[in-house]
Amino acid sequence: MFDCGEGTQKQFLIAKLGFNREMRILISHMHADHILGIPGILHSMSFMGRSRDLEIYGPPGICDFVKCTTETVKFRPMFPIRTADVHAGTIAKTDSYAIKAAWADHGVPCLAYSLIENDKPGRFHPAKARELGIPKGPLWKMLQMGKAVKVGRKRIDASKVVDPSRRGLKITYAVDTRPCKRVIELASGSDLLIHDGMFSSDASERAREYGHSTVAQAATIARKSHSRNLALTHFSAIYEDTKQLLAEAKAIFPRTMAAEDLGSLELP
Ligand SMILES: [Zn+2]
Ligand SMILES: [Zn+2]
Protein backbone atom coordinates (compact mmCIF):
# COMPACT_ATOMS: atom_id res chain seq x y z
CA MET A 1 0.00 0.00 0.00
CA PHE A 2 1.41 3.36 -1.01
CA ASP A 3 0.55 5.93 1.69
CA CYS A 4 -2.32 5.67 4.13
CA GLY A 5 -4.54 8.76 4.25
CA GLU A 6 -7.41 9.38 6.61
CA GLY A 7 -10.26 6.88 6.21
CA THR A 8 -8.18 4.22 4.44
CA GLN A 9 -9.58 1.40 6.60
CA LYS A 10 -13.10 2.22 5.42
CA GLN A 11 -12.10 2.11 1.75
CA PHE A 12 -10.15 -1.08 2.44
CA LEU A 13 -13.36 -2.71 3.71
CA ILE A 14 -15.45 -1.48 0.77
CA ALA A 15 -12.82 -2.72 -1.70
CA LYS A 16 -12.88 -6.13 0.07
CA LEU A 17 -9.10 -6.31 0.04
CA GLY A 18 -8.92 -8.57 3.09
CA PHE A 19 -7.26 -7.48 6.31
CA ASN A 20 -5.02 -10.55 6.54
CA ARG A 21 -3.39 -10.21 3.14
CA GLU A 22 0.37 -10.09 2.67
CA MET A 23 1.22 -6.42 2.47
CA ARG A 24 3.60 -3.64 3.36
CA ILE A 25 2.73 0.00 3.86
CA LEU A 26 5.11 2.40 2.10
CA ILE A 27 4.80 5.97 3.34
CA SER A 28 6.09 8.75 1.08
CA HIS A 29 6.38 11.53 3.66
CA MET A 30 5.19 12.72 7.02
CA HIS A 31 2.42 15.09 5.92
CA ALA A 32 -0.93 14.44 7.60
CA ASP A 33 -2.84 13.55 4.41
CA HIS A 34 -0.45 10.63 3.83
CA ILE A 35 -0.24 9.07 7.31
CA LEU A 36 -3.39 9.76 9.33
CA GLY A 37 -5.00 6.50 8.17
CA ILE A 38 -2.33 4.38 9.87
CA PRO A 39 -3.88 4.28 13.38
CA GLY A 40 -7.28 3.37 11.91
CA ILE A 41 -6.03 0.61 9.66
CA LEU A 42 -3.91 -0.94 12.44
CA HIS A 43 -6.94 -1.04 14.75
CA SER A 44 -9.18 -2.47 12.03
CA MET A 45 -6.64 -5.16 11.15
CA SER A 46 -6.29 -6.18 14.76
CA PHE A 47 -10.06 -6.19 15.27
CA MET A 48 -10.57 -8.27 12.11
CA GLY A 49 -8.09 -10.88 13.37
CA ARG A 50 -5.00 -10.20 11.29
CA SER A 51 -2.24 -12.66 12.15
CA ARG A 52 0.39 -11.90 9.52
CA ASP A 53 3.28 -9.48 10.05
CA LEU A 54 2.91 -5.96 8.79
CA GLU A 55 5.86 -3.83 7.78
CA ILE A 56 5.60 -0.07 7.58
CA TYR A 57 8.35 1.86 5.82
CA GLY A 58 8.78 5.58 5.44
CA PRO A 59 11.25 8.45 5.72
CA PRO A 60 12.71 9.27 9.16
CA GLY A 61 9.87 9.94 11.60
CA ILE A 62 7.63 7.03 10.63
CA CYS A 63 8.86 4.78 13.47
CA ASP A 64 8.17 7.50 16.06
CA PHE A 65 4.73 8.17 14.59
CA VAL A 66 3.62 4.52 14.72
CA LYS A 67 5.08 4.11 18.22
CA CYS A 68 3.30 7.22 19.48
CA THR A 69 -0.08 6.39 17.91
CA THR A 70 -0.06 2.88 19.36
CA GLU A 71 1.55 3.37 22.80
CA THR A 72 -0.36 6.48 23.85
CA VAL A 73 -3.70 4.72 23.37
CA LYS A 74 -2.44 1.47 24.92
CA PHE A 75 -3.09 -0.40 21.68
CA ARG A 76 -1.79 -3.96 21.65
CA PRO A 77 -2.15 -5.28 18.11
CA MET A 78 -2.86 -9.00 17.60
CA PHE A 79 -0.14 -9.19 14.93
CA PRO A 80 3.53 -8.16 14.72
CA ILE A 81 4.20 -4.66 13.35
CA ARG A 82 7.67 -3.80 12.15
CA THR A 83 8.56 -0.25 11.22
CA ALA A 84 11.66 1.10 9.50
CA ASP A 85 12.94 4.55 8.60
CA VAL A 86 14.22 4.10 5.06
CA HIS A 87 16.25 6.06 2.53
CA ALA A 88 16.89 5.88 -1.21
CA GLY A 89 17.95 2.50 -2.66
CA THR A 90 16.62 -1.05 -2.54
CA ILE A 91 14.60 -1.31 0.64
CA ALA A 92 13.07 -4.79 0.36
CA LYS A 93 13.46 -7.97 -1.66
CA THR A 94 11.28 -11.06 -1.64
CA ASP A 95 11.06 -14.15 -3.86
CA SER A 96 8.52 -12.38 -6.05
CA TYR A 97 9.33 -8.66 -5.99
CA ALA A 98 11.70 -5.86 -4.95
CA ILE A 99 10.94 -2.37 -3.65
CA LYS A 100 13.19 0.54 -4.58
CA ALA A 101 13.01 4.12 -3.36
CA ALA A 102 14.36 7.50 -4.53
CA TRP A 103 14.12 10.95 -2.98
CA ALA A 104 11.41 13.08 -4.56
CA ASP A 105 11.35 16.90 -4.35
CA HIS A 106 8.69 18.20 -1.97
CA GLY A 107 10.26 20.49 0.61
CA VAL A 108 10.21 17.81 3.34
CA PRO A 109 11.93 14.40 3.03
CA CYS A 110 9.70 12.52 0.59
CA LEU A 111 10.29 9.14 -1.06
CA ALA A 112 9.03 7.85 -4.38
CA TYR A 113 8.74 4.05 -4.57
CA SER A 114 8.89 1.39 -7.29
CA LEU A 115 7.45 -2.08 -6.83
CA ILE A 116 9.27 -4.35 -9.27
CA GLU A 117 7.96 -7.87 -9.79
CA ASN A 118 10.42 -10.60 -10.75
CA ASP A 119 9.92 -12.22 -14.14
CA LYS A 120 7.72 -15.27 -13.81
CA PRO A 121 8.61 -18.64 -15.34
CA GLY A 122 6.52 -19.62 -18.35
CA ARG A 123 3.68 -22.14 -18.10
CA PHE A 124 4.71 -25.82 -18.07
CA HIS A 125 2.68 -28.23 -20.23
CA PRO A 126 2.58 -31.71 -18.63
CA ALA A 127 0.76 -33.22 -21.64
CA LYS A 128 3.57 -32.19 -23.98
CA ALA A 129 6.17 -33.62 -21.58
CA ARG A 130 4.31 -36.95 -21.46
CA GLU A 131 4.05 -36.99 -25.25
CA LEU A 132 7.84 -36.64 -25.45
CA GLY A 133 8.22 -39.58 -23.07
CA ILE A 134 9.63 -37.56 -20.16
CA PRO A 135 8.71 -39.26 -16.87
CA LYS A 136 7.10 -37.15 -14.15
CA GLY A 137 9.55 -36.27 -11.35
CA PRO A 138 12.92 -34.51 -11.14
CA LEU A 139 13.16 -34.11 -14.94
CA TRP A 140 9.92 -32.10 -14.97
CA LYS A 141 11.32 -29.85 -12.26
CA MET A 142 14.48 -29.20 -14.32
CA LEU A 143 12.41 -28.32 -17.38
CA GLN A 144 10.28 -25.94 -15.31
CA MET A 145 13.52 -24.22 -14.28
CA GLY A 146 14.38 -23.75 -17.96
CA LYS A 147 17.04 -26.49 -18.11
CA ALA A 148 17.41 -29.07 -20.91
CA VAL A 149 17.06 -32.76 -19.95
CA LYS A 150 18.13 -36.07 -21.42
CA VAL A 151 15.71 -38.93 -22.00
CA GLY A 152 17.61 -41.96 -23.26
CA ARG A 153 19.92 -40.44 -25.88
CA LYS A 154 17.51 -37.65 -26.73
CA ARG A 155 18.18 -34.11 -25.47
CA ILE A 156 15.02 -32.10 -24.87
CA ASP A 157 15.10 -28.31 -24.47
CA ALA A 158 12.82 -26.66 -21.92
CA SER A 159 11.30 -24.51 -24.69
CA LYS A 160 9.60 -27.67 -26.05
CA VAL A 161 7.38 -27.96 -22.97
CA VAL A 162 7.57 -24.57 -21.21
CA ASP A 163 6.24 -21.24 -22.54
CA PRO A 164 8.60 -18.21 -22.57
CA SER A 165 8.94 -16.47 -19.19
CA ARG A 166 6.46 -13.69 -18.39
CA ARG A 167 7.82 -10.23 -17.66
CA GLY A 168 7.11 -8.97 -14.14
CA LEU A 169 5.29 -5.66 -13.73
CA LYS A 170 6.78 -2.42 -12.43
CA ILE A 171 4.67 0.17 -10.63
CA THR A 172 6.06 3.52 -9.51
CA TYR A 173 4.43 5.90 -7.04
CA ALA A 174 5.63 9.52 -6.85
CA VAL A 175 3.42 11.71 -4.63
CA ASP A 176 3.97 14.56 -3.50
CA THR A 177 6.67 16.00 -5.70
CA ARG A 178 7.82 18.68 -8.07
CA PRO A 179 9.10 17.29 -11.40
CA CYS A 180 12.25 15.43 -10.39
CA LYS A 181 15.09 13.78 -12.30
CA ARG A 182 15.50 11.07 -9.63
CA VAL A 183 11.86 10.09 -10.11
CA ILE A 184 12.37 9.78 -13.88
CA GLU A 185 15.28 7.41 -13.23
CA LEU A 186 13.36 5.38 -10.64
CA ALA A 187 10.28 5.14 -12.88
CA SER A 188 12.23 3.98 -15.94
CA GLY A 189 10.12 1.47 -17.92
CA SER A 190 7.21 1.36 -15.44
CA ASP A 191 4.01 -0.37 -16.49
CA LEU A 192 2.19 2.16 -14.35
CA LEU A 193 3.40 5.49 -13.01
CA ILE A 194 1.20 7.03 -10.33
CA HIS A 195 2.20 10.70 -10.14
CA ASP A 196 1.32 13.92 -8.40
CA GLY A 197 -0.93 15.99 -10.68
CA MET A 198 -2.16 18.63 -8.30
CA PHE A 199 -2.50 21.58 -10.65
CA SER A 200 -3.46 22.58 -14.16
CA SER A 201 -0.65 23.53 -16.53
CA ASP A 202 -1.28 27.27 -16.08
CA ALA A 203 -0.50 27.03 -12.35
CA SER A 204 3.12 25.88 -12.64
CA GLU A 205 4.37 28.71 -10.41
CA ARG A 206 1.95 27.67 -7.68
CA ALA A 207 2.86 24.00 -8.10
CA ARG A 208 6.54 24.80 -7.69
CA GLU A 209 5.87 26.92 -4.61
CA TYR A 210 3.86 24.17 -2.86
CA GLY A 211 6.16 21.31 -3.88
CA HIS A 212 3.76 19.67 -6.33
CA SER A 213 3.49 19.08 -10.10
CA THR A 214 1.16 20.20 -12.84
CA VAL A 215 -0.55 17.52 -14.89
CA ALA A 216 1.57 18.50 -17.90
CA GLN A 217 4.73 18.01 -15.83
CA ALA A 218 3.47 14.60 -14.67
CA ALA A 219 2.75 13.62 -18.28
CA THR A 220 6.24 14.72 -19.32
CA ILE A 221 7.76 12.58 -16.53
CA ALA A 222 5.73 9.60 -17.80
CA ARG A 223 7.05 10.17 -21.31
CA LYS A 224 10.67 10.72 -20.29
CA SER A 225 10.68 7.62 -18.07
CA HIS A 226 9.20 5.49 -20.89
CA SER A 227 6.35 4.44 -18.63
CA ARG A 228 3.44 2.64 -20.27
CA ASN A 229 0.54 4.12 -18.27
CA LEU A 230 0.10 7.20 -16.12
CA ALA A 231 -2.40 7.62 -13.28
CA LEU A 232 -2.70 11.21 -12.07
CA THR A 233 -3.65 11.77 -8.44
CA HIS A 234 -3.64 14.31 -5.56
CA PHE A 235 -5.79 16.83 -7.47
CA SER A 236 -6.27 20.22 -5.85
CA ALA A 237 -9.73 20.86 -4.42
CA ILE A 238 -9.93 24.05 -6.53
CA TYR A 239 -10.90 21.90 -9.55
CA GLU A 240 -14.51 20.76 -9.72
CA ASP A 241 -13.70 17.75 -11.88
CA THR A 242 -10.68 16.26 -13.60
CA LYS A 243 -11.82 16.54 -17.25
CA GLN A 244 -9.67 19.53 -18.18
CA LEU A 245 -6.68 18.22 -16.21
CA LEU A 246 -6.91 14.86 -17.95
CA ALA A 247 -7.14 16.49 -21.39
CA GLU A 248 -4.00 18.57 -20.72
CA ALA A 249 -2.05 15.48 -19.67
CA LYS A 250 -3.33 13.33 -22.54
CA ALA A 251 -2.09 15.89 -25.08
CA ILE A 252 1.42 15.01 -23.89
CA PHE A 253 0.96 11.39 -22.77
CA PRO A 254 -2.14 9.70 -24.25
CA ARG A 255 -2.20 6.69 -21.92
CA THR A 256 -3.18 8.78 -18.91
CA MET A 257 -6.04 8.21 -16.48
CA ALA A 258 -7.29 10.26 -13.54
CA ALA A 259 -7.17 8.07 -10.43
CA GLU A 260 -10.51 7.82 -8.59
CA ASP A 261 -11.51 6.46 -5.20
CA LEU A 262 -11.92 2.68 -5.47
CA GLY A 263 -10.94 2.75 -9.16
CA SER A 264 -9.12 -0.21 -10.64
CA LEU A 265 -6.85 -0.76 -13.61
CA GLU A 266 -5.80 -4.10 -15.09
CA LEU A 267 -2.22 -4.23 -16.32
CA PRO A 268 -1.55 -6.79 -19.05
ZN1 LIG B 1 2.93 16.67 1.18
ZN1 LIG C 1 -0.16 15.34 0.04
Side-chain angles (χ1 to χ4, degrees):
M1 179 192 287
F2 297 118
D3 281 333
C4 191
E6 203 176 340
T8 297
Q9 86 272 27
K10 206 171 131 202
Q11 303 291 72
F12 210 87
L13 260 177
I14 296 169
K16 297 190 170 65
L17 289 173
F19 282 105
N20 203 31
R21 58 168 38 220
E22 183 196 340
M23 65 178 280
R24 292 177 151 97
I25 299 178
L26 308 167
I27 297 296
S28 62
H29 64 300
M30 299 302 294
H31 278 162
D33 55 327
H34 297 254
I35 55 173
L36 284 188
I38 294 176
I41 205 152
L42 295 182
H43 278 85
S44 292
M45 283 176 164
S46 198
F47 183 68
M48 302 294 278
R50 182 179 178 92
S51 55
R52 288 175 118 145
D53 291 19
L54 180 73
E55 288 170 25
I56 306 173
Y57 302 139
I62 191 66
C63 292
D64 288 347
F65 177 76
V66 173
K67 196 167 177 249
C68 166
T69 53
T70 52
E71 285 182 1
T72 51
V73 294
K74 309 262 184 292
F75 169 55
R76 284 192 197 85
M78 305 298 286
F79 57 96
I81 301 172
R82 286 200 296 271
T83 53
D85 292 345
V86 292
H87 300 267
T90 301
I91 58 169
K93 246 185 180 168
T94 75
D95 290 343
S96 47
Y97 63 87
I99 300 167
K100 288 187 178 171
W103 290 114
D105 177 9
H106 185 47
V108 299
C110 180
L111 288 163
Y113 294 102
S114 278
L115 174 75
I116 306 156
E117 270 190 318
N118 297 342
D119 289 344
K120 295 172 188 152
R123 191 166 291 122
F124 174 71
H125 298 282
K128 283 188 190 168
R130 276 192 205 101
E131 230 167 76
L132 290 165
I134 310 165
K136 193 177 172 180
L139 291 183
W140 282 25
K141 198 140 227 177
M142 283 177 72
L143 289 163
Q144 282 164 343
M145 284 169 8
K147 289 179 184 154
V149 297
K150 258 189 155 181
V151 178
R153 278 202 230 138
K154 213 169 44 175
R155 185 192 135 100
I156 301 165
D157 282 322
S159 61
K160 288 258 163 47
V161 294
V162 183
D163 291 340
S165 65
R166 291 165 284 177
R167 192 177 59 80
L169 294 171
K170 176 173 177 179
I171 296 168
T172 300
Y173 174 85
V175 174
D176 308 345
T177 185
R178 299 182 182 98
C180 176
K181 222 174 145 186
R182 291 181 297 271
V183 169
I184 299 174
E185 283 165 17
L186 178 77
S188 173
S190 291
D191 295 280
L192 173 64
L193 169 64
I194 303 161
H195 200 282
D196 184 323
M198 188 144 176
F199 293 105
S200 151
S201 312
D202 55 19
S204 59
E205 202 37 54
R206 203 156 165 201
R208 203 186 56 78
E209 191 185 328
Y210 290 111
H212 286 277
S213 296
T214 68
V215 288
Q217 286 167 336
T220 304
I221 300 277
R223 207 173 60 188
K224 284 189 177 168
S225 63
H226 304 288
S227 293
R228 291 177 182 81
N229 297 279
L230 169 66
L232 297 168
T233 189
H234 213 299
F235 306 109
S236 165
I238 58 174
Y239 304 108
E240 261 171 36
D241 64 53
T242 55
K243 270 194 207 114
Q244 176 60 27
L245 298 172
L246 191 57
E248 286 175 22
K250 277 189 161 180
I252 296 165
F253 190 80
R255 292 184 66 85
T256 302
M257 64 182 281
E260 292 167 23
D261 283 356
L262 300 169
S264 70
L265 169 69
E266 196 158 325
L267 295 172

